Amino acid sequence: MIVRDLNEIIENDKDRVVADAKWRSIRMLLAGDGMGFSFHITILEAGSEHTFEYKHHFESVYCISGKGSITDIATGETHQIKPGVMYALNEHDRHILRSEEELVMACCFNPPVTGTEVHREDGSYAPAEENA
């Protein structure tokens, strides 16, 4: 059984906290935990905009708090993000995530991330084998 406390990770395990341009990701489960997916709590600053495309990963995201939107770049379709909304990037969808208020999101990645990933210039993470 794995039990972890978000607040303890933030205070005591800086290796599991990754930050980049106006977002912070607390990685609660990583590839090394052997679960087949990783689980993160990600916080996006209010007023921020991010373009991502996870070419090598699938991601599902559940909004815990805040307000924003996600736009599918391929279709131009925009969806509102608020508490209770989930989206899944089942086709490695290139997207723009906008945060009107601070967004707190629960995220799962498959394959799991190792914990060292940051977004590359194209908005993706490197393939899992490059981070092994």
Side-chain angles (χ1 to χ4, degrees), residues 51-132:
T51 302
F52 299 132
E53 179 182 14
Y54 299 112
K55 298 175 182 180
H56 311 288
H57 297 81
F58 293 105
E59 181 190 28
S60 64
V61 179
Y62 177 81
C63 180
I64 297 169
S65 66
K67 182 179 175 185
S69 65
I70 185 169
T71 300
D72 181 331
I73 292 175
T75 67
E77 190 172 7
T78 297
H79 303 274
Q80 296 304 304
I81 303 295
K82 61 184 180 182
V85 171
M86 185 278 306
Y87 64 85
L89 304 169
N90 60 323
E91 296 182 2
H92 306 287
D93 313 271
R94 186 165 175 77
H95 60 285
I96 300 170
L97 187 58
R98 295 178 183 90
S99 178
E100 295 172 37
E101 301 171 357
E102 179 182 83
L103 282 172
V104 178
M105 315 284 263
C107 312
C108 289
F109 277 86
N110 182 14
V113 301
T114 64
T116 60
E117 293 84 355
V118 293
H119 291 97
R120 301 186 303 181
E121 190 172 308
D122 66 358
S124 70
Y125 288 147
E129 58 272 8
E130 288 184 26
N131 290 308

Coordinates of all heavy atoms in Angstrom, one line a residue, residues 51-132:
T51 N 0.2 25.9 -23.8 CA 0.0 25.0 -24.9 C 0.8 23.7 -24.7 O 2.0 23.7 -24.5 CB 0.5 25.7 -26.2 OG1 -0.3 26.9 -26.4 CG2 0.2 24.8 -27.4
F52 N 0.0 22.6 -24.7 CA 0.6 21.3 -24.4 C 0.2 20.3 -25.5 O -0.9 20.5 -26.1 CB 0.1 20.7 -23.1 CG 0.5 21.6 -21.9 CD1 -0.5 21.8 -20.9 CD2 1.8 22.0 -21.7 CE1 -0.2 22.6 -19.8 CE2 2.1 22.7 -20.5 CZ 1.1 23.0 -19.6
E53 N 1.0 19.3 -25.7 CA 0.7 18.2 -26.6 C 1.5 17.0 -26.1 O 2.7 16.9 -26.4 CB 1.0 18.5 -28.1 CG 0.7 17.4 -29.0 CD 1.1 17.7 -30.4 OE1 1.8 18.6 -30.7 OE2 0.6 16.9 -31.3
Y54 N 0.8 16.1 -25.5 CA 1.5 14.9 -24.9 C 1.6 13.8 -26.0 O 0.7 13.0 -26.1 CB 0.8 14.4 -23.6 CG 0.9 15.5 -22.6 CD1 -0.2 16.2 -22.1 CD2 2.1 15.9 -22.1 CE1 -0.2 17.2 -21.2 CE2 2.2 16.9 -21.1 CZ 1.0 17.5 -20.7 OH 1.1 18.5 -19.8
K55 N 2.6 13.9 -26.9 CA 2.7 13.0 -28.0 C 3.0 11.6 -27.6 O 2.7 10.6 -28.3 CB 3.9 13.5 -28.9 CG 3.7 14.8 -29.5 CD 4.9 15.2 -30.2 CE 4.8 16.6 -30.8 NZ 6.0 17.0 -31.5
H56 N 3.5 11.4 -26.4 CA 4.0 10.1 -25.9 C 3.2 9.6 -24.7 O 3.6 8.5 -24.1 CB 5.5 10.1 -25.6 CG 6.3 10.7 -26.7 ND1 6.5 10.1 -28.0 CD2 6.8 11.9 -26.8 CE1 7.2 10.9 -28.7 NE2 7.4 12.0 -28.1
H57 N 2.2 10.3 -24.2 CA 1.5 10.0 -23.0 C 0.0 10.3 -23.3 O -0.4 11.2 -24.0 CB 1.9 10.9 -21.9 CG 3.4 10.7 -21.5 ND1 4.4 11.3 -22.2 CD2 3.9 10.0 -20.5 CE1 5.6 11.0 -21.6 NE2 5.3 10.2 -20.6
F58 N -0.8 9.5 -22.5 CA -2.2 9.9 -22.4 C -2.4 10.5 -21.1 O -1.7 10.2 -20.1 CB -3.1 8.6 -22.5 CG -3.1 7.9 -23.8 CD1 -2.4 6.8 -24.0 CD2 -3.8 8.5 -24.9 CE1 -2.3 6.1 -25.2 CE2 -3.7 7.8 -26.1 CZ -3.0 6.7 -26.3
E59 N -3.3 11.5 -21.0 CA -3.5 12.2 -19.7 C -5.0 12.3 -19.5 O -5.8 12.6 -20.4 CB -2.9 13.6 -19.7 CG -3.1 14.3 -18.4 CD -2.7 15.8 -18.5 OE1 -2.7 16.4 -19.5 OE2 -2.3 16.3 -17.4
S60 N -5.5 12.2 -18.3 CA -6.8 12.5 -17.8 C -6.7 13.5 -16.7 O -5.7 13.4 -15.9 CB -7.6 11.3 -17.4 OG -7.1 10.7 -16.3
V61 N -7.6 14.5 -16.7 CA -7.5 15.6 -15.7 C -8.8 15.9 -15.1 O -9.8 16.0 -15.9 CB -7.0 16.9 -16.4 CG1 -6.9 18.1 -15.5 CG2 -5.6 16.6 -17.1
Y62 N -8.9 16.1 -13.8 CA -10.1 16.4 -13.1 C -9.9 17.7 -12.4 O -8.9 17.8 -11.6 CB -10.4 15.2 -12.1 CG -11.7 15.5 -11.3 CD1 -12.9 15.3 -11.8 CD2 -11.5 16.0 -10.0 CE1 -14.1 15.5 -11.0 CE2 -12.7 16.3 -9.2 CZ -13.9 16.0 -9.7 OH -15.0 16.3 -9.0
C63 N -10.8 18.6 -12.5 CA -10.7 19.9 -11.9 C -11.3 19.8 -10.5 O -12.4 19.5 -10.2 CB -11.5 21.0 -12.7 SG -11.4 22.6 -11.9
I64 N -10.4 20.2 -9.5 CA -10.8 20.2 -8.1 C -11.3 21.6 -7.7 O -12.3 21.7 -7.1 CB -9.5 19.8 -7.2 CG1 -9.1 18.4 -7.5 CG2 -9.9 20.1 -5.7 CD1 -7.8 18.0 -6.9
S65 N -10.6 22.6 -8.2 CA -11.0 24.0 -7.9 C -10.5 24.9 -9.0 O -9.5 24.6 -9.7 CB -10.6 24.4 -6.5 OG -9.2 24.6 -6.5
G66 N -11.2 26.1 -9.1 CA -10.8 27.1 -10.1 C -11.7 27.1 -11.3 O -12.7 26.5 -11.3
K67 N -11.3 28.0 -12.2 CA -12.1 28.2 -13.4 C -11.1 28.5 -14.6 O -10.1 29.2 -14.4 CB -13.0 29.4 -13.2 CG -13.9 29.7 -14.3 CD -14.8 30.9 -14.0 CE -15.7 31.3 -15.2 NZ -16.4 32.5 -14.9
G68 N -11.4 27.9 -15.7 CA -10.6 28.1 -16.9 C -11.3 27.5 -18.1 O -12.5 27.2 -18.1
S69 N -10.5 27.2 -19.1 CA -11.0 26.6 -20.4 C -9.9 25.8 -21.0 O -8.7 26.0 -20.8 CB -11.5 27.6 -21.3 OG -10.5 28.5 -21.8
I70 N -10.3 24.8 -21.9 CA -9.4 24.1 -22.7 C -9.9 24.1 -24.1 O -11.1 24.0 -24.4 CB -9.2 22.6 -22.2 CG1 -8.2 21.9 -23.0 CG2 -10.6 21.9 -22.2 CD1 -7.8 20.5 -22.5
T71 N -8.9 24.4 -25.0 CA -9.2 24.5 -26.5 C -8.5 23.4 -27.2 O -7.3 23.3 -27.1 CB -8.9 25.9 -27.0 OG1 -9.6 26.9 -26.4 CG2 -9.2 25.9 -28.5
D72 N -9.2 22.6 -28.0 CA -8.6 21.6 -28.9 C -8.1 22.3 -30.1 O -8.9 22.9 -30.8 CB -9.7 20.6 -29.2 CG -9.1 19.4 -30.1 OD1 -8.2 19.7 -30.9 OD2 -9.7 18.3 -30.1
I73 N -6.8 22.4 -30.3 CA -6.2 23.2 -31.4 C -6.7 22.6 -32.7 O -6.9 23.4 -33.7 CB -4.7 23.3 -31.3 CG1 -4.3 24.1 -30.0 CG2 -4.1 23.8 -32.5 CD1 -2.9 24.2 -29.7
A74 N -6.8 21.3 -32.9 CA -7.2 20.7 -34.2 C -8.6 21.1 -34.6 O -8.9 21.4 -35.8 CB -7.1 19.2 -34.1
T75 N -9.6 21.2 -33.6 CA -10.9 21.5 -34.0 C -11.4 23.0 -33.6 O -12.4 23.4 -34.1 CB -11.9 20.6 -33.2 OG1 -11.8 20.9 -31.8 CG2 -11.6 19.1 -33.5
G76 N -10.6 23.6 -32.8 CA -11.0 25.0 -32.3 C -12.1 24.9 -31.2 O -12.4 26.0 -30.7
E77 N -12.5 23.8 -30.9 CA -13.6 23.6 -29.9 C -13.0 24.0 -28.5 O -12.0 23.5 -28.1 CB -14.1 22.2 -29.9 CG -15.4 22.0 -29.1 CD -16.0 20.7 -29.3 OE1 -15.4 19.8 -29.9 OE2 -17.1 20.5 -28.7
T78 N -13.8 24.8 -27.7 CA -13.4 25.2 -26.4 C -14.4 24.7 -25.4 O -15.6 24.7 -25.6 CB -13.2 26.7 -26.3 OG1 -12.2 27.2 -27.2 CG2 -12.9 27.2 -24.9
H79 N -13.9 24.2 -24.3 CA -14.7 23.7 -23.2 C -14.3 24.4 -21.9 O -13.2 24.7 -21.6 CB -14.5 22.2 -23.0 CG -14.7 21.3 -24.2 ND1 -15.9 20.9 -24.5 CD2 -13.9 20.9 -25.2 CE1 -15.9 20.2 -25.7 NE2 -14.6 20.2 -26.1
Q80 N -15.3 24.7 -21.1 CA -15.1 25.4 -19.8 C -14.6 24.3 -18.8 O -15.1 23.2 -18.8 CB -16.4 26.0 -19.3 CG -16.9 27.2 -20.2 CD -15.8 28.2 -20.4 OE1 -15.3 28.8 -19.5 NE2 -15.5 28.5 -21.7
I81 N -13.7 24.8 -18.0 CA -13.2 23.9 -16.9 C -13.6 24.6 -15.6 O -13.4 25.8 -15.4 CB -11.6 23.9 -16.9 CG1 -11.1 23.4 -18.3 CG2 -11.1 23.0 -15.8 CD1 -11.5 22.0 -18.6
K82 N -14.2 23.8 -14.7 CA -14.6 24.2 -13.4 C -14.7 22.9 -12.5 O -14.5 21.8 -13.0 CB -16.0 24.9 -13.5 CG -17.1 23.9 -14.0 CD -18.4 24.6 -14.1 CE -19.5 23.6 -14.6 NZ -20.8 24.3 -14.8
P83 N -14.8 23.1 -11.2 CA -14.8 21.9 -10.3 C -15.9 20.9 -10.8 O -17.0 21.2 -11.2 CB -15.2 22.5 -9.0 CG -14.7 23.9 -9.0 CD -14.9 24.3 -10.5
G84 N -15.4 19.6 -10.9 CA -16.2 18.5 -11.3 C -16.0 18.1 -12.7 O -16.5 17.1 -13.2
V85 N -15.4 19.0 -13.5 CA -15.2 18.7 -15.0 C -13.9 17.8 -15.1 O -12.8 18.1 -14.5 CB -15.1 20.0 -15.8 CG1 -14.6 19.7 -17.2 CG2 -16.4 20.7 -15.8
M86 N -14.0 16.8 -16.0 CA -12.8 16.0 -16.3 C -12.6 16.0 -17.8 O -13.6 16.1 -18.6 CB -13.1 14.5 -15.9 CG -12.0 13.5 -16.1 SD -11.7 12.8 -17.8 CE -13.2 12.1 -18.2
Y87 N -11.4 16.0 -18.3 CA -11.1 15.9 -19.7 C -10.0 14.8 -19.8 O -9.2 14.7 -18.9 CB -10.8 17.2 -20.4 CG -9.5 17.9 -19.9 CD1 -8.3 17.5 -20.5 CD2 -9.6 18.9 -19.0 CE1 -7.1 18.2 -20.1 CE2 -8.4 19.5 -18.6 CZ -7.2 19.2 -19.2 OH -6.0 19.8 -18.8
A88 N -10.0 14.1 -21.0 CA -9.0 13.1 -21.3 C -8.4 13.4 -22.6 O -9.2 13.6 -23.6 CB -9.6 11.7 -21.2
L89 N -7.1 13.4 -22.7 CA -6.4 13.6 -24.0 C -6.2 12.2 -24.6 O -5.0 11.7 -24.6 CB -5.2 14.4 -23.7 CG -5.4 15.7 -23.0 CD1 -4.1 16.4 -22.6 CD2 -6.2 16.7 -23.9
N90 N -7.2 11.6 -25.1 CA -7.2 10.3 -25.6 C -6.6 10.1 -27.0 O -6.3 9.0 -27.5 CB -8.6 9.6 -25.6 CG -9.5 10.4 -26.5 OD1 -9.5 11.6 -26.6 ND2 -10.4 9.6 -27.1
E91 N -6.3 11.3 -27.7 CA -5.7 11.2 -29.0 C -4.5 12.1 -29.1 O -4.1 12.6 -30.1 CB -6.7 11.7 -30.1 CG -7.9 10.7 -30.2 CD -8.9 11.1 -31.2 OE1 -8.7 12.1 -31.9 OE2 -9.9 10.4 -31.4
H92 N -3.8 12.2 -27.9 CA -2.6 13.0 -27.8 C -2.9 14.5 -28.3 O -2.1 15.1 -28.9 CB -1.4 12.4 -28.6 CG -1.1 11.0 -28.2 ND1 -0.5 10.7 -27.1 CD2 -1.4 9.8 -28.9 CE1 -0.4 9.3 -27.0 NE2 -0.9 8.8 -28.1
D93 N -4.0 14.9 -27.9 CA -4.6 16.2 -28.5 C -3.7 17.4 -28.1 O -3.4 17.6 -26.9 CB -6.0 16.4 -27.9 CG -6.9 15.2 -28.0 OD1 -7.5 15.1 -29.0 OD2 -6.8 14.4 -27.0
R94 N -3.3 18.2 -29.1 CA -2.6 19.4 -28.9 C -3.7 20.4 -28.4 O -4.8 20.5 -29.0 CB -2.0 20.0 -30.1 CG -1.1 21.2 -29.9 CD -0.2 21.4 -31.2 NE 0.5 22.7 -31.0 CZ 1.6 22.8 -30.3 NH1 2.0 21.9 -29.5 NH2 2.2 24.0 -30.2
H95 N -3.4 21.1 -27.3 CA -4.5 21.9 -26.7 C -3.9 23.2 -26.0 O -2.7 23.2 -25.7 CB -5.3 21.1 -25.6 CG -4.4 20.5 -24.5 ND1 -3.5 19.5 -24.7 CD2 -4.3 20.9 -23.2 CE1 -2.9 19.2 -23.6 NE2 -3.4 20.1 -22.6
I96 N -4.8 24.1 -25.7 CA -4.4 25.3 -25.0 C -5.3 25.3 -23.7 O -6.5 25.2 -23.8 CB -4.7 26.6 -25.8 CG1 -3.9 26.6 -27.0 CG2 -4.4 27.8 -24.9 CD1 -4.3 27.7 -28.0
L97 N -4.6 25.4 -22.6 CA -5.3 25.4 -21.3 C -5.1 26.8 -20.7 O -4.0 27.3 -20.6 CB -4.6 24.4 -20.4 CG -5.3 24.1 -19.0 CD1 -6.7 23.7 -19.2 CD2 -4.5 23.1 -18.2
R98 N -6.3 27.4 -20.4 CA -6.3 28.8 -19.9 C -6.9 28.8 -18.5 O -7.9 28.1 -18.2 CB -7.1 29.7 -20.8 CG -6.6 29.9 -22.2 CD -7.5 30.8 -23.0 NE -6.9 30.9 -24.4 CZ -7.2 30.0 -25.4 NH1 -8.1 29.0 -25.2 NH2 -6.7 30.2 -26.6
S99 N -6.2 29.5 -17.6 CA -6.7 29.5 -16.2 C -7.2 31.0 -15.9 O -6.4 31.9 -15.8 CB -5.5 29.2 -15.3 OG -5.9 29.3 -14.0
E100 N -8.5 31.1 -15.7 CA -9.0 32.4 -15.3 C -8.8 32.6 -13.8 O -8.5 33.8 -13.4 CB -10.5 32.4 -15.6 CG -10.8 32.4 -17.1 CD -12.3 32.2 -17.3 OE1 -13.1 32.8 -16.6 OE2 -12.7 31.5 -18.3
E101 N -9.0 31.6 -13.0 CA -8.7 31.6 -11.6 C -7.6 30.5 -11.4 O -7.4 29.7 -12.3 CB -9.9 31.2 -10.8 CG -11.1 32.1 -11.0 CD -12.4 31.6 -10.3 OE1 -12.3 30.5 -9.8 OE2 -13.4 32.3 -10.4
E102 N -7.0 30.5 -10.3 CA -6.0 29.4 -10.0 C -6.8 28.1 -10.2 O -7.8 27.9 -9.6 CB -5.5 29.5 -8.6 CG -4.5 28.4 -8.3 CD -4.0 28.5 -6.9 OE1 -4.7 28.0 -6.0 OE2 -2.9 29.0 -6.7
L103 N -6.2 27.2 -11.0 CA -6.8 25.9 -11.2 C -6.0 24.9 -10.4 O -4.8 24.9 -10.5 CB -6.7 25.5 -12.7 CG -7.8 26.1 -13.6 CD1 -7.4 25.8 -15.1 CD2 -9.2 25.6 -13.3
V104 N -6.7 24.0 -9.7 CA -6.1 22.9 -9.0 C -6.7 21.7 -9.7 O -7.9 21.4 -9.7 CB -6.4 22.9 -7.5 CG1 -5.8 21.7 -6.8 CG2 -5.8 24.2 -6.9
M105 N -5.8 20.8 -10.3 CA -6.2 19.7 -11.1 C -5.6 18.4 -10.6 O -4.4 18.4 -10.2 CB -5.8 19.9 -12.5 CG -6.1 21.3 -13.1 SD -7.8 21.6 -13.4 CE -7.7 21.3 -15.2
A106 N -6.3 17.3 -10.6 CA -5.8 16.0 -10.4 C -5.5 15.4 -11.7 O -6.5 15.3 -12.6 CB -6.8 15.2 -9.6
C107 N -4.3 14.9 -12.0 CA -3.9 14.4 -13.3 C -3.3 13.0 -13.2 O -2.6 12.7 -12.3 CB -2.9 15.3 -13.9 SG -3.2 17.1 -13.8
C108 N -3.7 12.2 -14.2 CA -3.1 10.8 -14.4 C -2.4 10.7 -15.7 O -3.0 11.2 -16.7 CB -4.2 9.7 -14.3 SG -4.8 9.5 -12.6
F109 N -1.2 10.2 -15.8 CA -0.5 10.0 -17.0 C -0.2 8.5 -17.2 O 0.1 7.8 -16.3 CB 0.9 10.7 -17.0 CG 0.8 12.2 -17.3 CD1 0.5 13.1 -16.4 CD2 1.0 12.6 -18.6 CE1 0.4 14.4 -16.7 CE2 0.9 13.9 -19.0 CZ 0.6 14.9 -18.0
N110 N -0.4 8.1 -18.5 CA 0.0 6.7 -18.9 C 0.7 6.9 -20.2 O 0.2 7.5 -21.2 CB -1.2 5.9 -19.1 CG -0.9 4.5 -19.5 OD1 0.2 4.0 -19.4 ND2 -1.9 3.8 -20.0
P111 N 2.0 6.4 -20.4 CA 2.7 5.7 -19.3 C 3.1 6.7 -18.2 O 3.0 8.0 -18.5 CB 4.0 5.3 -20.1 CG 4.1 6.1 -21.3 CD 2.7 6.5 -21.6
P112 N 3.4 6.2 -17.1 CA 3.7 7.1 -15.9 C 5.0 7.9 -16.2 O 5.9 7.5 -16.9 CB 3.9 6.2 -14.8 CG 4.3 4.9 -15.4 CD 3.6 4.8 -16.7
V113 N 5.0 9.1 -15.6 CA 6.2 9.9 -15.7 C 7.1 9.5 -14.6 O 6.7 8.9 -13.6 CB 5.9 11.5 -15.7 CG1 5.0 11.9 -16.8 CG2 5.3 11.9 -14.3
T114 N 8.4 9.8 -14.8 CA 9.4 9.4 -13.8 C 9.6 10.5 -12.7 O 10.1 10.1 -11.6 CB 10.8 9.3 -14.5 OG1 11.2 10.6 -15.0 CG2 10.8 8.3 -15.6
G115 N 9.2 11.7 -12.9 CA 9.3 12.8 -11.9 C 10.2 13.9 -12.4 O 10.2 14.9 -11.8
T116 N 11.0 13.6 -13.4 CA 12.0 14.6 -13.8 C 11.5 15.4 -15.0 O 12.2 16.4 -15.4 CB 13.3 14.0 -14.1 OG1 13.1 13.0 -15.2 CG2 13.9 13.3 -12.9
E117 N 10.4 15.0 -15.6 CA 10.0 15.6 -16.9 C 9.6 17.1 -16.7 O 9.0 17.5 -15.7 CB 8.8 14.9 -17.5 CG 9.0 13.5 -17.9 CD 9.0 12.5 -16.8 OE1 8.8 12.9 -15.6 OE2 9.1 11.3 -17.1
V118 N 9.9 17.9 -17.7 CA 9.4 19.2 -17.9 C 9.0 19.3 -19.3 O 9.4 18.5 -20.2 CB 10.4 20.4 -17.5 CG1 10.7 20.4 -16.0 CG2 11.7 20.2 -18.3
H119 N 8.1 20.2 -19.7 CA 7.6 20.3 -21.0 C 8.8 20.7 -22.0 O 9.5 21.7 -21.7 CB 6.5 21.3 -21.1 CG 5.3 20.8 -20.4 ND1 5.0 21.2 -19.1 CD2 4.3 20.0 -20.8 CE1 3.8 20.6 -18.8 NE2 3.4 19.9 -19.8
R120 N 8.8 20.1 -23.1 CA 9.8 20.4 -24.1 C 9.2 21.6 -24.9 O 8.0 22.0 -24.7 CB 10.0 19.3 -25.1 CG 10.6 18.1 -24.3 CD 11.0 16.9 -25.2 NE 10.0 16.4 -26.0 CZ 10.1 15.4 -26.8 NH1 11.3 14.7 -26.9 NH2 9.1 15.0 -27.6
E121 N 10.0 22.2 -25.8 CA 9.5 23.4 -26.5 C 8.2 23.2 -27.3 O 7.4 24.1 -27.4 CB 10.6 23.7 -27.6 CG 10.4 25.1 -28.2 CD 11.6 25.5 -29.1 OE1 12.7 25.5 -28.6 OE2 11.3 25.9 -30.2
D122 N 7.9 22.0 -27.7 CA 6.7 21.7 -28.4 C 5.5 21.4 -27.5 O 4.4 21.1 -27.9 CB 6.8 20.6 -29.4 CG 7.1 19.2 -28.8 OD1 7.2 19.1 -27.5 OD2 7.2 18.2 -29.5
G123 N 5.7 21.5 -26.2 CA 4.6 21.3 -25.2 C 4.5 19.8 -24.8 O 3.5 19.5 -24.1
S124 N 5.4 18.9 -25.2 CA 5.3 17.5 -24.8 C 6.3 17.1 -23.8 O 7.2 17.9 -23.5 CB 5.5 16.7 -26.1 OG 6.8 16.7 -26.5
Y125 N 6.1 15.9 -23.3 CA 7.2 15.3 -22.5 C 7.9 14.3 -23.4 O 7.3 13.8 -24.3 CB 6.6 14.5 -21.3 CG 6.0 15.3 -20.2 CD1 4.9 14.9 -19.5 CD2 6.6 16.5 -19.8 CE1 4.4 15.6 -18.4 CE2 6.0 17.3 -18.7 CZ 5.0 16.8 -18.1 OH 4.4 17.5 -17.0
A126 N 9.2 14.1 -23.1 CA 9.9 13.1 -23.8 C 9.3 11.7 -23.6 O 8.6 11.5 -22.6 CB 11.4 13.1 -23.4
P127 N 9.5 10.8 -24.6 CA 9.0 9.4 -24.4 C 9.5 8.8 -23.1 O 10.6 9.1 -22.7 CB 9.5 8.7 -25.6 CG 9.9 9.7 -26.6 CD 10.2 10.9 -25.8
A128 N 8.8 7.9 -22.5 CA 9.1 7.3 -21.2 C 10.5 6.7 -21.2 O 11.2 6.9 -20.2 CB 8.1 6.3 -20.8
E129 N 10.9 6.0 -22.3 CA 12.2 5.4 -22.3 C 13.3 6.4 -22.3 O 14.4 6.0 -21.8 CB 12.3 4.5 -23.6 CG 12.1 5.1 -24.9 CD 10.7 5.2 -25.4 OE1 9.7 4.8 -24.6 OE2 10.5 5.6 -26.5
E130 N 13.1 7.6 -22.6 CA 14.2 8.6 -22.5 C 14.3 9.1 -21.1 O 15.3 9.7 -20.8 CB 13.9 9.8 -23.5 CG 14.1 9.5 -24.9 CD 13.9 10.7 -25.8 OE1 14.0 11.9 -25.3 OE2 13.5 10.5 -27.0
N131 N 13.4 8.9 -20.3 CA 13.4 9.3 -18.9 C 13.6 8.2 -17.9 O 13.5 8.4 -16.7 CB 12.1 10.1 -18.5 CG 12.1 11.4 -19.2 OD1 13.0 12.2 -19.1 ND2 11.0 11.7 -19.9
A132 N 13.8 7.0 -18.4 CA 14.0 5.8 -17.5 C 15.2 5.9 -16.7 O 16.2 6.5 -17.1 CB 13.9 4.5 -18.4

